[in-house]
Amino acid sequence: MDIAKLTTELDQIERRVEDALPTLRSIDELRRFEAEILGKTGPLSAFVKAIKDFPADQRGQVGQTVNSRKNRIEARLGTHRDALQQQAAGAEQQAAASFDPTLPGEWREMGSVHPVTAVQWEIERIFVRLGFTIEAGPEMESEFFNFEALNIPGDHPARDMQDTFWLKNGMVLRTHTSPVQIRAMHKFGAPLRTLVPGRCFRYETLDASHECTFHQVEGLMIDRDISIANLIALSKTLLSEVMHREVELRIRPGYFPFVEPGIEIDMNCQICGGRGCPTCKHSGWVEILPCGMVHPNVLRAGRIDPTQWTGFAFGLGLTRLAMMKYGIRDIRVLNAGDLRPLVGAQRLAGAIIRE
Ligand code: FA5
């Protein structure tokens, strides 16, 4: 390369810089351009490296030319940086001066928890106040915990009460939260107060009030001299606290092999006010809280002495309670993944959580 060609190429670089400056509107853009022109792999570094290839008598002049052009370009970019920084400071000042703290804030749509979660948290708060611990158990459960330990042996007709998903490995998807009763007894012994919210699975025909995946909350209290009166009083308090009003309940005998006596507590349907609708299968009542006194065989399976201790257990239909609370007519919308039918309920649920 000769000096004339070098000068032409330096001219071109300077022109490129001049052309680019008006398009560089932010410090970031400027920084990127600077790196392109002045960086190690840029054209100016290549010229600096090339100085040594010129004949010795020309090197001084070439060096001077390259350095002075480099300084000029650096100065030009520096001036542009100052201008951009001033502009940014001015814009900030202007924004601060035009900020009106009396204007109403921007409305942002709030997210919310799922209605079932909202009711679950509410129930947990009530029971934690009463000294209950919150437990969890596995959703894939052994036949022993799901049935046998709950006084439902293999040949017992009560196995047909809960349509079961059997897995290839011989386990089941738990059909109820009751297996955690036994797990909690093994873990804590007596006395014991525990609450177990959780997902359950049944091979059901779906309708407005039956899903194959739904939530229950198991409650278990074991102590000395626990009676069915304690259970009924607690159930009434629980349901009216969750619904935030007195609710009409119907108590009738119920059969579950793991309790004796067993009772069913139904709530009058909050969707139709008890007149009858598809949600309550036109009966005016919704099965919500089956419960009873823990069967001695179950206490034994839990390694608790039934001559010393008594207890009650319940298996609240959490999903159905959430439907009653938020006026959700069809259980299928809860798991459908379409948020639109849930929006109203979720707003209410959000309000409850923020209370
Ligand atoms: C049981 O699951 C017993 N483990 C409850 C229990 C626990 C009784 C402790 C006594 C002592 P049941 O099958 O009735 O019982 O179910 C309990 C509640 O879960 C029902 O009242 C209902 O509200 C709800 N439920 C049951 N099946 C479904 C379903 N397919 N979809 C939605 N909710 C359901």
Side-chain angles (χ1 to χ4, degrees):
M1 188 188 292
D2 59 23
I3 296 188
K5 190 160 183 260
L6 173 82
T7 316
T8 313
E9 288 196 13
L10 286 169
D11 284 347
Q12 279 170 1
I13 297 173
E14 273 197 281
R15 241 193 329 275
R16 190 173 150 202
V17 171
E18 286 305 325
D19 288 348
L21 285 180
T23 67
L24 303 174
R25 297 212 176 83
S26 73
I27 298 284
D28 274 351
E29 284 173 0
L30 175 64
R31 206 172 285 135
R32 275 196 293 276
F33 183 71
E34 243 172 351
E36 216 175 281
I37 299 292
L38 298 170
K40 275 191 199 142
T41 54
L44 278 168
S45 299
F47 288 132
V48 171
K49 278 185 211 144
I51 295 173
K52 65 176 180 349
D53 301 333
F54 279 82
D57 60 334
Q58 291 180 8
R59 272 184 216 148
Q61 194 195 341
V62 172
Q64 256 179 15
T65 310
V66 172
N67 278 330
S68 74
R69 293 299 187 99
K70 190 172 173 230
N71 291 343
R72 223 155 62 192
I73 290 172
E74 278 173 353
R76 197 66 191 90
L77 293 171
T79 315
H80 193 64
R81 182 184 303 106
D82 292 346
L84 285 177
Q85 275 166 347
Q86 263 176 15
Q87 244 175 39
E92 248 175 51
Q93 263 175 6
Q94 211 178 354
S98 62
F99 175 70
D100 180 352
T102 62
L103 284 176
E106 268 177 42
W107 172 254
R108 299 239 172 120
E109 197 67 46
M110 291 286 286
S112 175
V113 292
H114 193 275
V116 171
T117 311
V119 180
Q120 177 186 321
W121 288 354
E122 238 188 322
I123 293 171
E124 286 178 7
R125 269 203 299 260
I126 296 168
F127 277 85
V128 166
R129 270 196 337 248
L130 298 172
F132 282 62
T133 61
I134 311 290
E135 287 297 307
E139 291 178 347
M140 183 173 75
E141 191 49 285
S142 70
E143 195 181 342
F144 172 77
F145 284 110
N146 199 78
F147 294 121
E148 269 163 42
L150 291 168
N151 204 26
I152 319 176
D155 54 356
H156 199 289
R159 288 231 175 165
D160 293 341
M161 288 167 74
Q162 301 180 351
D163 298 311
T164 309
F165 286 110
W166 288 91
L167 303 177
K168 283 193 178 137
N169 62 4
M171 309 274 277
V172 299
L173 289 183
R174 71 173 174 201
T175 52
H176 49 174
T177 40
S178 300
V180 193
Q181 283 188 31
I182 307 292
R183 291 180 179 278
M185 288 184 218
H186 288 177
K187 184 168 167 191
F188 299 112
L192 161 65
R193 290 176 193 201
T194 196
L195 191 77
V196 188
R199 210 151 44 141
C200 306
F201 309 87
R202 290 190 197 172
Y203 186 51
E204 295 270 17
T205 307
L206 304 192
D207 62 23
S209 58
H210 289 83
E211 250 290 3
C212 49
T213 302
F214 58 97
H215 285 76
Q216 290 186 346
V217 179
E218 195 80 9
L220 175 66
M221 180 167 177
I222 294 175
D223 214 320
R224 298 199 192 272
D225 303 325
I226 293 288
S227 78
I228 206 154
N230 300 123
L231 168 60
I232 292 174
L234 183 76
S235 309
K236 281 188 173 157
T237 311
L238 163 66
L239 293 174
S240 45
E241 277 214 32
V242 171
M243 298 302 290
H244 294 199
R245 58 176 178 275
E246 280 291 318
V247 285
E248 210 181 320
L249 299 179
R250 179 174 78 168
I251 299 178
R252 58 197 168 90
Y255 173 69
F256 304 92
F258 33 95
V259 285
E260 180 57 42
I263 52 181
E264 289 270 12
I265 299 184
D266 302 335
M267 176 189 267
N268 86 317
C269 179
Q270 306 288 305
I271 304 290
C272 60
R275 283 184 300 279
C277 67
T279 313
C280 60
K281 295 216 188 92
H282 303 281
S283 69
W285 296 94
V286 177
E287 276 178 24
I288 216 89
L289 195 103
C291 50
M293 302 303 292
V294 182
H295 195 288
N297 288 348
V298 175
L299 289 172
R300 269 185 221 107
R303 303 181 200 129
I304 290 178
D305 181 354
T307 62
Q308 300 294 314
W309 304 94
T310 49
F312 65 69
F314 61 80
L316 172 76
L318 176 60
T319 308
R320 289 201 190 149
L321 186 59
M323 292 169 69
M324 292 297 107
K325 180 162 175 125
Y326 297 120
I328 298 167
R329 291 166 185 274
D330 195 314
I331 196 167
R332 287 165 287 200
V333 305
L334 285 165
N335 290 348
D338 180 355
L339 292 183
R340 285 167 304 175
L342 292 181
V343 167
Q346 283 180 319
R347 286 225 175 92
L348 286 171
I352 279 157
I353 295 312
R354 285 195 295 272
E355 258 172 19

